[in-house]
Amino acid sequence: MRVYRGTLIHSKRPEALEVLQDYLVGFQEQGSGAGEILFLEQCEDIDEQATRLRFDKNNVVCLKKGQFLIPGFIDTHIHAPQYQNSGIGYELNLLEWLEKYTYPTR
């Protein structure tokens, strides 16, 4: 489990950002760096939270002033020439996928 403490910024809708200051976010890392968020809550009593949420408070990554976390970019759209390759090549990064699957079909 990896735990961060600091400012988190996300958008609930296109025209507004939400800034969460002094929050804890914990996630379970998986595979290529992606992971499942296990908890997100205001940091109030880190000793109690570490015990309840089962993390080592000494291993928390504390963000510095001016640093923040934002959600990862998830590409949820597709262009017509890419359609026939939907669902294949997830192990590749975008450029490799385009070169291997999409560009040859153009």
Side-chain angles (χ1 to χ4, degrees):
M1 175 189 321
R2 185 171 298 252
V3 179
Y4 288 88
R5 179 181 182 174
T7 301
L8 288 83
I9 300 174
H10 73 107
S11 179
K12 290 185 171 183
R13 56 188 197 281
E15 57 281 339
L17 290 177
E18 182 175 31
V19 178
L20 307 173
Q21 295 188 355
D22 199 22
Y23 264 68
L24 293 169
V25 59
F27 66 93
Q28 185 64 48
E29 293 179 288
Q30 301 168 351
S32 63
E36 175 186 356
I37 295 175
L38 301 174
F39 59 84
L40 172 66
E41 58 182 66
Q42 178 82 43
C43 185
E44 296 172 346
D45 179 349
I46 197 160
D47 291 319
E48 182 276 327
Q49 288 170 298
T51 300
R52 177 172 45 83
L53 299 169
R54 299 180 183 197
F55 66 86
D56 182 347
K57 71 176 186 174
N58 296 313
N59 291 333
V60 173
V61 177
C62 295
L63 301 179
K64 298 175 185 171
K65 182 177 177 153
Q67 293 182 320
F68 55 88
L69 294 176
I70 58 174
F73 176 72
I74 300 170
D75 188 1
T76 59
H77 79 284
I78 191 163
H79 298 265
Q82 299 169 330
Y83 184 75
Q84 68 187 22
N85 300 318
S86 296
I88 59 174
Y90 284 123
E91 72 281 1
L92 303 172
N93 69 40
L94 177 60
L95 186 55
E96 291 172 325
W97 183 80
L98 290 169
E99 290 172 344
K100 184 173 182 177
Y101 294 107
T102 300
Y103 294 159
T105 65
R106 291 169 113 189

